[in-house]
Amino acid sequence: EAGVTQFPSHSVIEKGQTVTLRCDPISGHDNLYWYRRVMGKEIKFLLHFVKESKQDESGMPNNRFLAERTGGTYSTLKVQPAELEDSGVYFCASSDRVRGEAFFGQGTRLTVV
Amino acid sequence: QKEVEQNSGPLSVPEGAIASLNCTYSDRGSQSFFWYRQYSGKSPELIMFIYSNGDKEDGRFTAQLNKASQYVSLLIRDSQPSDSATYLCAVNKAAAGGTSYGKLTFGQGTILTVHP
């Protein structure tokens, strides 16, 4: 069974540009989470989808971040326009309805220069 | 005060020894507790979860939870060089299997090095 897959693995963009991160959860997992780790800090929750609906977006830092999960399958996280402080590793995780434990992807390392 | 605190380490133990990793949390409403292992550049991998006071053993790993002291620990017996990684403690306010079970609050992680 494939795990949580994230694309790209690395992205370097200039301040002011737009970047879109993608996450493919484990097949059949209704719950999808985005997290972020900035350098020197702990991994922090951004938001939670249940299927295509946003269950909790309390961790989203500001309105430059837009997450979508069309059709309840893969999800995208768009940052527009990117700022220097957006640099970090963005993790996606998914879980099923029964057990609930979250499985993480390898992350996308975003560098804004 | 951070919600979840871990000693960042690095913690260095000899091969074959017991590695003890500690974590404290501030929210008494926390119900579920997780230990993830993360190798450099890889995804966090769930190795243990616990939600009842006491000990839970799985192979060489034992998780210990004391809700009164707001303390959770992970013991690794017979440590191997392959156990060298960052260990992340995470907590959740949801009961097991709840809708928001994957919404986790993480500590900064403890770097463990097991030397031959």
Side-chain angles (χ1 to χ4, degrees):
Chain A
E1 179 183 281
V4 178
T5 308
Q6 293 187 244
F7 303 96
S9 56
H10 295 84
S11 180
V12 180
I13 62 170
E14 293 184 351
K15 176 182 172 181
Q17 288 186 323
T18 298
V19 63
T20 300
L21 314 181
R22 171 169 170 149
C23 169
D24 287 72
I26 293 172
S27 178
H29 280 193
D30 288 340
N31 295 294
L32 187 149
Y33 305 84
W34 283 98
Y35 287 84
R36 176 175 74 171
R37 184 170 196 165
V38 298
M39 188 175 293
K41 301 287 188 180
E42 64 274 18
I43 297 173
K44 285 204 167 181
F45 167 83
L46 296 178
L47 89 159
H48 170 206
F49 283 100
V50 177
K51 297 186 179 179
E52 67 275 9
S53 299
K54 290 178 185 175
Q55 175 83 4
D56 182 344
E57 51 185 330
S58 61
M60 294 287 265
N62 52 62
N63 59 10
R64 295 185 294 103
F65 290 75
L66 174 64
E68 295 180 321
R69 191 181 183 193
T70 306
T73 55
Y74 70 91
S75 175
T76 57
L77 180 64
K78 180 190 288 188
V79 185
Q80 178 182 29
E83 298 288 346
L84 299 178
E85 64 264 26
D86 300 333
S87 296
V89 181
Y90 290 76
F91 290 102
C92 176
S94 71
S95 67
D96 65 25
R97 283 175 290 171
V98 177
R99 291 189 54 195
E101 291 91 24
F103 295 87
F104 281 76
Q106 287 190 285
T108 294
R109 181 174 295 278
L110 175 64
T111 303
V112 183
V113 297
Chain B
Q1 181 188 15
K2 291 184 179 179
E3 292 188 61
V4 179
E5 297 223 40
Q6 295 181 253
N7 188 327
S8 60
L11 173 66
S12 182
V13 301
E15 184 174 357
I18 295 175
S20 178
L21 303 159
N22 305 314
C23 173
T24 58
Y25 59 95
S26 60
D27 189 341
R28 286 195 173 274
S30 300
Q31 297 196 48
S32 308
F33 306 86
F34 304 83
W35 284 99
Y36 283 82
R37 177 177 63 196
Q38 187 178 21
Y39 294 111
S40 181
K42 302 296 185 182
S43 59
E45 174 193 8
L46 180 65
I47 53 173
M48 290 287 288
F49 63 90
I50 186 169
Y51 29 80
S52 300
N53 275 326
D55 295 359
K56 179 181 179 182
E57 187 175 317
D58 184 0
R60 296 186 296 112
F61 299 98
T62 299
Q64 299 175 316
L65 175 61
N66 184 325
K67 288 186 178 180
S69 299
Q70 296 176 244
Y71 174 90
V72 58
S73 66
L74 179 70
L75 301 178
I76 306 174
R77 289 181 298 282
D78 188 23
S79 295
Q80 302 296 309
S82 58
D83 294 326
S84 299
T86 297
Y87 288 79
L88 302 163
C89 173
V91 306
N92 187 305
K93 294 182 185 180
T99 302
S100 298
Y101 199 49
K103 181 183 178 182
L104 303 170
T105 301
F106 282 89
Q108 278 197 284
T110 298
I111 298 171
L112 172 67
T113 302
V114 181
H115 53 87

